[in-house]
Every structure is written in structure tokens, then in C-alpha cells.
Amino acid sequence: MKISYQLILLITIFLISLLGIQFIYYINIKNLTEEETETYALKMVEQIEKEVTNHFTDIIRIAYTLSYSSDTQDLLTAETPVVKYESSSKFLELRKHLLRSNKDIDRLILHSADNRVISPNEFPISELLNSEYNYLNSLKQRQFTRLYNLKSNGRENFSLIYPVYNLDDNFSHEIIGYSIAVSNIEFLETLISETEIPNKYEFYILDTQNTIAAASERINNGMIFPLQLSGNIPEGTFIEMEYQKKPILFSSKDISDTGWKVCAVIPISMVNTKLVRIRNIGFFISLVFLIILLSVGAVISRSITRPIDRVVEFAASVVDHSTRKRLDLPKGNEMRILSECINSMLDRMDLMNRKILDTKTSLLKVELEKKKAELENLQAQINPHFLYNTLECLRSLGVHYESDEITEISTAMADIFRYSIKGDEITTIKNEMDCIGQYLKIISIRFQDRFRFTVNIDENIFNCKLPKMTLQPIVENAVYHGLEPKLGNGELSIRGYRKENNLCISIYDNGIGISKEISESINNYTEAYISEKRSMGLLNINKRIKIRFGSNYGIQIKSQRGKGTYVNVELPIH
């Protein structure tokens, strides 16, 4: 798979993982938000329930005080008018005092067991009891009533009915009357309104018949609570229900010993509204990450995958065509270093190819030179007896006429001729120097000792190998083209020595010298500026050495017009 495809796959996997994390995060935040919302609402329900309970407890305390005071007991059990009158006066004082202690209690009523209103007489008890007098007869313990509306004051009220037992009769548990505390609902409305209720949260206080006594929305007061409440709703928890065709979270808590309830309604849409911002933030973060990923992917594609594709295409083109092309990548990253390494490798390959080509060329030249030498050798061997006989005839004439010069020249020439055409092409330094010695004899006779020759060869190189007739032509060139044109005597010196792993032979003459252009052409292995036969001979010797042993070997010429020529021959030691 291409790196670009792998990069796209990696980005896709990362995005899917990011969306998965966002989804899990959203679900957890949703659950946490709902939990915090429910916890907060339950605390508010408990707070309202606690306030209502405290208020109801105060009403119970007042009703209890009224029911079991001695004056109330005397008033309900009085048998004579005098006792009843005295007790009534004291009862009214107590009642007045208790009413002052709680401003939310509108009336304190004492009702006898035989359905007589003892005090106050002006209170329309029929409105309170709704003409159901038997209701009191069946009541055995205190009880808060449902809401009701008194025409006398035009307000919603509720009452606490407290049975009054005869304290003088501890065995019969006789109910001698009822204390009724009539309260308005203003304190409940005030309690709800003063509670800091979040927007769209709804709290209700319900009476025993699920009538709304107080609510966060006052327009609902006095209405029947629309939800069907059952005893299966556990306290301290929220359940999902439908209210006004909208999903809600609902919870209720009973106000102990009253039959009343505190309810909380939270629209789920409100919870979701809180989550919308979190969800939008999550989507925004995902979008930012997507942009960052795409940007990083584009940068990686530009700086890595594209250069890699270019490297692959370049490698294919190099394989299919040649190594002359070079890879050019922008600077600034490791791919540039890779391209430089590839280009360096191609440069080395080109150099190796050139070396291989040069080696093959050299081998071909060596082979050609060898074939040429073989042809020349074969040609030189044509009718050798004629040449030997001619030289032998010259030697015989020299002996007959007692001419030592002719004898020595013919003998030396025969030895040189025999050396040049017989044996292997490779010879030793000693054999080459013997040939040069014969040649110098001829030169000495011819020029009548006009030239002085000096030969200094280290004995430890006598057995070193070199191509036959390598040094003799150089010596011959030095004599005929350097010393002979010179006026006066001349000097020729030959020195041989070992230099590290190379063999060095230096030939010096103090003749007329050669031009700088010709010496440089010979040294550089070129034929420029060369027209003299002498120079062509030196160039050919240089070519023979380089073809056979390599470009590190050959001859080097240092010459100055009118002062002489220095030729150095460098060969590998064999």
C-alpha cells in the first residue's frame, strides 16, 4: 500500500476514534449533567419540604397548645353556665395569644364533639366542612385538609383538624371536641417565590387531593395537578414522564404526617439545552482537529510522500534508461539528504562505469598493441638468416681488414637485433641494460668518444621486469635528438632505483632539449603539438606503459631549451 494511502487510512482511523471519544464524552457529560440537575433539584425539593414541614409543625404546635390547655378542657367539659363562661373568657385570651404567634393562621376554631361551634360563633363552619359533619366524627388523629375557598374572605385556605381528647378520663379515650387551625397559603406562595429556582424548573406544593397549593408559576395555583401520581414513585429519585406532551424529569417528596407533597418538574429539553453548548464545543474541537489533521497530512504529503513518489519515479527512470539524470528535491528535510546520497551513488556508478570503460579500452589497446607487436615480430623474422649473414659478413670483413670498429659495430648490432626479436616481450632490467650497453658501444665508435655515458643501476632491481625495448628507444632519442645536434661534447646519464613499490629509471642528457608544449603533450598522454619523430617515439612508449600497467605509470619529461632533457620512467615492480 502506498504511503499516501496509509496516511489517509491513519487520518480516517484517528477521526473515527476522535468521534468515538467525543460520543462517549458527550454521553458521560449528559449523564453527569442529568445527575447534577437531579441532585440540585432534589436539594431544592428537600429545602422546600423542610420549610413547609417547619411551618406545619408550628401550626401543629399551636393546635396542640389550644387543644390541651386546661381552659379548653374546662370549656368542653363544663356542665354549668358559670364554669363555661369563666373557661370561655380564658380560652379566648389563649386563642388571641396563639393567633398573634403565627400570622399565617387566620382562625382558631374550637368545635365540640356534638357538632357545636363553641368559638368563634361567627365563623361559617359549614363552608369548612362542606355540610359533612360526619367527617369530624370519624377523625381520630390530627389531619391537614385539602384546599378550599371561603366565600367569606375569597381566599384559598387549608386547615389542621386536631382531635381533643378528655384528659380527665385516661381510660375511655373520649373525644370531646376538635381544634381547627385555618391557614392561608400566602406563606407557601412566599416560600416558593423567594426560593431561587432556575429558569424552566417547576416546583409544586400539593394538598391531600393533589390540588396545587403553591407553584413557581402562580397561574397554576388552585388547579388539580395534571400528572397522575401513584405511590410507585420512589422518593429521592427522578423518573421520566410526559407532561404537556413534552418529556420531563419528575420527582416528589411527601411532607411527613400531612398527606401533602412537594413536586419538581424539569423539562428534559432544558437539560439538553445545557448539552447543546457542550456538543457544539465538541463538534468545534473535532472540526479544529480535522483541519489540523488535514493540514498535517498536507504537510506530510508535501514533505514526505511526494518526495518519496519522486524518488520511486526517478529510480524507475534510472533503471529503464540511464544514470545521467540526477534527483533534485527541495532543501529543508531528510529527503534532500536522501536525494544527495542517491546522486552521490549515481556519480560513483558513473565513475565506475567510466573506469570499466577505460579498462576495457585499455585492454583492447593492449590487445591491439600485442597483435601489432606480433605482426611486427613476424615481419622482423622474415628471412632472419639474411640479416644475420649480412652482419656476419660485415664482421668478417672487419676481421679480414683488421678493422676493430667494424667488428665491434656489427657484433653489437647483431646482439641488439637478436635481443629485440627473440624471447618474450617482457624482460629484466639487466637484459635491457645489456642491450643499451651494446647500443652505447656503437655510439661511442661512431662519435669517437664525443659523448660521456654514466650508468648507475641498483643491483637489487636487476631482476625487475619491464616491457622489452622500453629504455633503449629513450636512450637513442637522447643521443640523436638531444646530444648530436649539440655543439661540443655531451653527457648522458642513466640511473635506476626502487621507490617504495615502484621502479624508477631516469635518463638525463644535456642536449638541446625540447619545447614545453611537446613535453606537456607527452606527459598528458596527448598528441597535440607533436610532429617530430623523436616526440612520437616517446609518446608511443608512454602509451605502451599506461596501456599495460595503468594511468599511474608512464614517463614524465622535464626539459628546457638549450639546457637538456630529463626523462623519468616509472613502472610497477614485478
Side-chain angles (χ1 to χ4, degrees):
M1 184 183 292
K2 288 187 176 181
I3 295 179
S4 57
Y5 295 158
Q6 294 180 6
L7 181 62
I8 294 173
L9 179 61
L10 181 63
I11 292 176
T12 303
I13 293 174
F14 185 84
L15 284 177
I16 293 174
S17 302
L18 180 62
L19 291 176
I21 293 173
Q22 287 288 342
F23 177 75
I24 295 173
Y25 172 77
Y26 176 77
I27 294 299
N28 290 333
I29 289 296
K30 179 181 179 182
N31 294 335
L32 182 61
T33 303
E34 290 181 355
E35 183 178 343
E36 289 181 351
T37 301
E38 293 175 2
T39 301
Y40 179 74
L42 287 174
K43 287 183 179 180
M44 295 188 67
V45 168
E46 291 177 357
Q47 178 183 347
I48 294 173
E49 184 270 339
K50 184 177 180 180
E51 293 290 338
V52 174
T53 299
N54 290 337
H55 198 84
F56 280 12
T57 301
D58 191 54
I59 295 175
I60 293 172
R61 179 187 60 80
I62 292 174
Y64 177 83
T65 302
L66 181 67
S67 299
Y68 292 101
S69 70
S70 58
D71 297 326
T72 303
Q73 290 285 320
D74 292 341
L75 180 61
L76 291 175
T77 58
E79 295 180 355
T80 63
V82 175
V83 174
K84 184 177 293 187
Y85 176 78
E86 292 177 354
S87 300
S88 177
S89 299
K90 294 179 181 180
F91 170 78
L92 292 175
E93 287 295 328
L94 175 62
R95 173 177 169 274
K96 185 184 297 184
H97 173 73
L98 292 175
L99 286 173
R100 288 197 197 103
S101 66
N102 192 321
K103 63 180 180 179
D104 296 316
I105 299 177
D106 291 337
R107 296 283 190 276
L108 284 175
I109 303 169
L110 184 62
H111 193 279
S112 66
D114 55 359
N115 293 329
R116 292 182 299 106
V117 178
I118 297 177
S119 177
N121 293 326
E122 74 278 6
F123 187 79
I125 193 63
S126 59
E127 293 185 36
L128 169 63
L129 302 179
N130 199 19
S131 302
E132 296 179 4
Y133 296 104
N134 293 330
Y135 174 77
L136 291 178
N137 295 331
S138 62
L139 188 65
K140 301 299 181 181
Q141 59 184 0
R142 69 173 182 266
Q143 180 174 322
F144 284 90
T145 67
R146 60 178 176 81
L147 288 180
Y148 55 87
N149 189 288
L150 293 178
K151 295 180 180 179
S152 58
N153 60 13
R155 293 188 303 179
E156 295 287 342
N157 295 270
F158 69 94
S159 299
L160 169 64
I161 302 176
Y162 206 103
V164 181
Y165 287 88
N166 188 356
L167 297 179
D168 293 335
D169 187 0
N170 295 327
F171 299 101
S172 63
H173 300 291
E174 177 188 6
I175 296 177
I176 58 177
Y178 299 93
S179 295
I180 302 173
V182 180
S183 300
N184 58 60
I185 62 172
E186 289 182 1
F187 80 94
L188 297 177
E189 295 174 346
T190 302
L191 173 63
I192 293 292
S193 63
E194 290 180 353
T195 303
E196 294 183 3
I197 299 175
N199 187 29
K200 295 186 178 180
Y201 280 48
E202 297 181 14
F203 288 88
Y204 301 90
I205 300 176
L206 308 181
D207 67 4
T208 57
Q209 301 298 318
N210 293 333
T211 302
I212 300 174
S216 53
E217 297 290 338
R218 288 199 174 189
I219 58 174
N220 296 321
N221 291 353
M223 298 174 59
I224 299 297
F225 191 65
L227 292 177
Q228 296 295 325
L229 303 182
S230 64
N232 297 327
I233 301 176
E235 290 190 3
T237 59
F238 275 86
I239 61 172
E240 288 192 19
M241 302 178 66
E242 189 171 291
Y243 176 54
Q244 296 179 352
K245 297 182 179 181
K246 295 180 181 179
I248 63 166
L249 293 173
F250 176 79
S251 180
S252 67
K253 184 174 179 61
D254 291 336
I255 301 174
S256 60
D257 298 331
T258 63
W260 287 44
K261 301 181 183 68
V262 178
C263 301
V265 175
I266 303 174
I268 293 180
S269 60
M270 188 275 299
V271 179
N272 293 335
T273 301
K274 292 182 178 180
L275 294 174
V276 167
R277 184 177 180 183
I278 298 175
R279 183 187 61 195
N280 292 339
I281 292 174
F283 287 154
F284 176 75
I285 293 174
S286 299
L287 180 61
V288 170
F289 269 102
L290 176 61
I291 294 173
I292 293 174
L293 280 176
L294 293 177
S295 301
V296 171
V299 171
I300 293 176
S301 176
R302 183 175 181 180
S303 59
I304 297 179
T305 58
R306 289 184 184 177
I308 289 177
D309 290 339
R310 289 185 59 185
V311 170
V312 173
E313 292 176 0
F314 176 78
S317 66
V318 168
V319 171
D320 295 337
H321 298 87
S322 66
T323 60
R324 294 181 181 178
K325 295 182 179 180
R326 291 297 179 266
L327 183 60
D328 185 20
L329 294 178
K331 296 181 179 179
N333 56 24
E334 291 79 0
M335 298 305 297
R336 176 68 179 185
I337 299 175
L338 177 62
S339 68
E340 292 175 352
C341 293
I342 292 175
N343 292 336
S344 177
M345 178 185 68
L346 293 176
D347 292 339
R348 290 195 296 271
M349 289 176 62
D350 284 347
L351 180 61
M352 291 176 62
N353 289 336
R354 285 195 296 270
K355 287 183 177 180
I356 292 172
L357 183 61
D358 292 342
T359 302
K360 289 182 178 180
T361 303
S362 299
L363 291 175
L364 289 174
K365 288 183 178 180
V366 169
E367 191 67 24
L368 290 174
E369 290 290 333
K370 185 177 180 181
K371 295 295 183 181
K372 183 178 179 181
E374 289 176 355
L375 290 174
E376 290 177 352
N377 187 34
L378 290 174
Q379 187 175 1
Q381 292 179 9
I382 296 174
N383 201 10
H385 293 288
F386 171 76
L387 295 175
Y388 288 141
N389 290 337
T390 301
L391 292 174
E392 188 63 28
C393 180
L394 290 174
R395 188 182 68 81
S396 298
L397 288 174
V399 172
H400 178 74
Y401 289 103
E402 296 181 354
S403 176
D404 295 335
E405 291 84 355
I406 294 175
T407 301
E408 290 182 5
I409 289 174
S410 60
T411 301
M413 288 184 64
D415 291 339
I416 293 172
F417 181 71
R418 187 181 300 108
Y419 169 75
S420 64
I421 65 174
K422 288 187 177 181
D424 295 332
E425 185 181 353
I426 300 298
T427 187
T428 63
I429 292 291
K430 185 177 184 306
N431 292 337
E432 187 77 3
M433 293 309 300
D434 289 342
C435 176
I436 292 174
Q438 296 296 332
Y439 174 74
L440 293 179
K441 284 182 182 180
I442 297 173
I443 296 303
S444 296
I445 294 172
R446 179 185 174 190
F447 292 101
Q448 298 179 357
D449 296 326
R450 176 183 163 192
F451 306 133
R452 185 167 64 89
F453 304 108
T454 303
V455 178
N456 183 12
I457 304 296
D458 293 344
E459 293 182 358
N460 60 356
I461 66 171
F462 276 165
N463 293 325
C464 293
K465 306 292 184 179
L466 80 166
K468 188 186 293 183
M469 300 301 289
T470 297
L471 302 179
Q472 190 276 335
I474 299 175
V475 174
E476 184 177 351
N477 273 321
V479 172
Y480 281 101
H481 299 287
L483 297 177
E484 184 179 359
K486 176 183 174 65
L487 298 177
N489 296 330
E491 181 180 345
L492 176 69
S493 66
I494 302 172
R495 181 171 178 262
Y497 58 93
R498 180 171 182 166
K499 182 181 179 182
E500 296 180 353
N501 293 326
N502 294 333
L503 176 64
C504 294
I505 307 295
S506 60
I507 301 169
Y508 169 75
D509 70 86
N510 62 349
I512 63 173
I514 59 178
S515 67
K516 182 179 180 181
E517 291 81 2
I518 294 176
S519 63
E520 288 181 353
S521 294
I522 297 173
N523 292 337
N524 296 331
Y525 195 35
T526 62
E527 297 183 3
Y529 304 106
I530 294 179
S531 60
E532 300 178 6
K533 185 176 180 180
R534 171 193 183 185
S535 301
M536 287 300 296
L538 294 175
L539 180 62
N540 289 335
I541 293 171
N542 197 18
K543 286 183 178 180
R544 285 180 61 198
I545 295 174
K546 289 184 179 296
I547 289 173
R548 180 174 289 275
F549 300 112
S551 59
N552 293 330
Y553 303 98
I555 65 175
Q556 286 290 321
I557 298 176
K558 295 181 181 179
S559 181
Q560 190 174 359
R561 280 290 189 180
K563 292 187 178 181
T565 302
Y566 177 87
V567 179
N568 183 62
V569 181
E570 190 166 351
L571 299 167
I573 293 179
H574 291 285

